[in-house]
Structure formats: C-alpha cells, structure tokens
Amino acid sequence: MELELEVCGLNAPASGLAQSPLIPCCKEATLTVTVVICSRNRPGMLRECLRAVARLNPKPDLVLVVDNSQGNKETEEVTREFGARYTIEPVVGLSRARNRGLAECNTDIVAYLDDDAIPAPNWLGILMEPFANERTAASTGRVVTPISDCDKPESARILSNNDPHWFEITTFGGMGLGSNMALRKSACNGRTMFDVRLGRGAPFQIGEESYAFARLLSEGHKAAYLPSAVVFHPRLSRDTIEHEARNSVTYWLLLFSEFPRQRMDLVRFLIRRLRRKPLDWPRDPQEAGEIVTSGWRVLFKASITGLWLFLSTPKSGKSDG
C-alpha cells in the first residue's frame, strides 16, 4: 500500500499538513478518539487494516473491532495481536455493528473504518480537525479505489442546514461514505444513530451513513468533508441494476417518511434526476446514473418492489431494543 500512497501524493506526515482555513485551530488536540472497525469473517483483511491503523500519526486512544457474527476465533486472535479491543454484535447488519461500536466507546470522537480499508498515515489527524468547532458533529474523507482519479481536484467543505441544498447533499452522496467517517459522541445523545433498516445486511441495503448525517444536520450540527483524509478501499461492489433501483426507491420512501419538513426537497430532487438535470453541488458522478437511465420498465418494477419492501419492514426495526 506504500506505492499507492506515493502515487496519490498522500505520504506526507500529519505534522506537515497545513491547517485548513475552513477550520478554527483550537481544541482538537484535547479530544479523545476511538477507531471502530466493523468486521465479519474476514480476519485476513482485518489484519491488513489493523497494521495500517498501527501506523497512524497521531494514534487513536482506542481501537475497537466489532465482530458482526456469533464470534469468530480468528477475528478475535487478530484483534488481540494488535492490542485492540474486541466485541461482538451477533445480529447481522453493518448499522447494528456501527451502533454497537458507538455504544461501547467512551471517547469524544468515534471514527469508523471498514475491515478492508487502509487509512493513510495522516488520516486520523486530518479527520479530527473539524471537531475543533464544537458545532461539528461529523467529518468524512475521501475513499480511493483502484478506479479513482487521484488527479481530480476536490475541495474541503463544511455543511450545515443553512445551505439550501443541505438535505440532498447529505442524503444522496455529497458528504462521503461510512468507510471513512467520524462522529462526535455527545451529538449522538446516546441514540441508535444508524437506522438498522439501512446498510449492508439489512432490508434496505443502502445509505445508513447518509441517513445519520442528515439526522445530525437537521438538529443544527455541522458536517465536514475533507478529501485529504484518505482511506484506500477495494473496488466497491455493485449489485444488479434492478436490486439497486429497488433499494434506492425504498431509501427515498424512508427519507420521505422520516423527514417530513424536507419532503418538497425530496420531490424536487427526484424530478430533477428523472429529467437528467445537473446537480447544484459537487458529486461524483454528476450525471444521473444507471438507475435513472435504465428505462421505465426497471423504474416501474423498482417502485412496486421498493414500496412493498418499505411497507413490510417494521418501523420498530429502527432501534436495537
């Protein structure tokens, strides 16, 4: 992974980074942080991730591995090998694993990695910078895959609900991914932050981190996206277009149900995408994408199956209790 760091120009030590002009320099050095790694039966990948975490500068106060299974002996052994803490979330679902990690941490900040992600050595220091502002509840960084364009410039951005497009930006991919994010624990107020109907291993299989970001911003918090906080990740897997379309419809219905004040924003966003209009904010890709361009037959089927899935999934599934 050293070669990739050099190719993308990201092997500078954290101490050599310039302070972002968007972020006031004050309290971040006093904040404590846990790195939570959610894993399920992939001890080999987990070992590589933990090896990269051991090279972080600055280092986290705690590393916690959440084993999203009934308990995997090899996963536990790898975790202990690197001096990390091990816990189990037996109910399958990435949201459940992330909620477990959040509940078992006592640090100010909780940063998340996937077990197949490799953070750059300066990743954590950069990801922590926005929390110098006490209104910042979340920060995210760039996820670099083998097909990413490392030369494509990206700008750091701070988002609040004062931005007229804040809701669509947070809920439709404008603020990063859950494989590279951090949350302020006090802003979560002891809640189940990730809706367990969402994410891998859950009925809707989409958008759990974006939903969490939207919840935080709707309460007046801020979120930051810092493209210089980099993790390397294998190429993101894709499902069939029919399955992805169904998940997207179900996710849209959940947002429509849970955020009544933003319903007109959702409708406007949907109409604009169906008309294949460009967005008013940075997103990769900017074009409408395969789901919108796949044809009315696919969209009609996705609407029916997505509506059925949404209505048949108990709302009580939002909590772990």
Side-chain angles (χ1 to χ4, degrees):
M1 197 54 67
E2 293 296 332
L3 178 60
E4 290 183 89
L5 291 172
E6 292 176 4
V7 168
C8 293
L10 297 165
N11 57 342
S15 59
L17 292 169
Q19 177 71 30
S20 168
L22 295 174
I23 301 164
C25 184
C26 53
K27 293 187 180 179
E28 72 272 17
T30 68
L31 297 174
T32 56
V33 58
T34 296
V35 172
V36 171
I37 306 169
C38 299
S39 185
R40 177 172 167 80
N41 301 328
R42 300 197 294 192
M45 288 184 173
L46 176 63
R47 176 177 279 109
E48 294 306 309
C49 180
L50 286 168
R51 185 172 287 126
V53 169
R55 295 196 294 264
L56 290 175
N57 181 22
K59 297 185 180 299
D61 297 274
L62 175 69
V63 179
L64 173 65
V65 173
V66 180
D67 185 351
N68 194 200
S69 72
Q70 295 294 323
N72 182 296
K73 184 177 180 181
E74 287 185 71
T75 297
E76 182 175 8
E77 290 175 351
V78 170
T79 301
R80 307 293 186 198
E81 176 186 334
F82 285 88
R85 182 180 159 197
Y86 174 83
T87 191
I88 293 173
E89 172 47 61
V91 182
V92 175
L94 182 56
S95 285
R96 293 181 183 274
R98 285 176 173 161
N99 286 331
R100 174 69 65 183
L102 185 64
E104 296 203 9
C105 294
N106 294 315
T107 50
D108 301 305
I109 309 300
V110 180
Y112 287 91
L113 288 169
D114 287 350
D115 60 0
D116 55 354
I118 303 295
N122 56 13
W123 166 74
L124 187 59
I126 300 172
L127 202 65
M128 289 286 288
E129 287 180 1
F131 294 106
N133 184 325
E134 293 182 353
R135 286 188 58 198
T136 300
S139 69
T140 64
R142 187 178 184 186
V143 177
V144 175
T145 71
I147 63 171
S148 295
D149 182 1
C150 291
D151 295 325
K152 183 177 180 179
E154 287 192 80
S155 300
R157 52 186 177 269
I158 307 295
L159 188 67
S160 75
N161 60 11
N162 291 323
D163 188 301
H165 301 293
W166 75 270
F167 189 69
E168 62 184 65
I169 293 172
T170 53
T171 53
F172 293 105
M175 288 304 289
L177 299 173
S179 53
N180 182 357
M181 68 176 175
L183 303 179
R184 186 187 297 274
K185 178 152 185 174
S186 61
C188 300
N189 294 323
R191 296 171 294 177
T192 301
M193 205 64 222
F194 299 96
D195 190 312
V196 300
R197 295 173 291 179
L198 294 169
R200 291 200 305 273
F204 300 169
Q205 302 178 24
I206 190 175
E208 77 285 351
E209 68 275 78
S210 299
Y211 179 85
F213 299 154
R215 290 178 70 185
L216 291 168
L217 265 69
S218 70
E219 298 167 353
H221 299 291
K222 293 183 177 183
Y225 173 73
L226 300 174
S228 55
V230 172
V231 301
F232 296 91
H233 196 285
R235 184 168 182 168
L236 301 176
S237 60
R238 293 288 304 272
D239 210 327
T240 64
I241 192 65
E242 291 81 6
H243 200 182
E244 289 188 357
R246 185 211 67 179
N247 287 338
S248 295
V249 168
T250 311
Y251 177 59
W252 190 92
L253 290 170
L254 183 143
L255 294 174
F256 193 86
S257 173
E258 298 294 326
F259 293 92
R261 293 184 179 181
Q262 275 69 52
R263 285 174 179 170
M264 288 307 300
D265 294 335
L266 277 168
V267 171
R268 282 192 292 265
F269 178 79
L270 178 61
I271 292 173
R272 193 161 68 250
R273 296 312 268 169
L274 290 174
R275 294 177 64 191
R276 305 182 188 183
K277 299 292 185 181
L279 298 173
D280 298 319
W281 45 274
R283 183 177 186 265
D284 188 15
Q286 183 64 214
E287 62 270 12
E290 289 183 62
I291 293 175
V292 171
T293 60
S294 58
W296 286 105
R297 182 175 297 180
V298 171
L299 294 176
F300 178 76
K301 182 179 178 181
S303 299
I304 299 300
T305 57
L307 177 62
W308 180 87
L309 179 60
F310 176 74
L311 294 176
S312 63
T313 301
K315 189 174 181 179
S316 59
K318 286 177 65 179
S319 70
D320 289 315

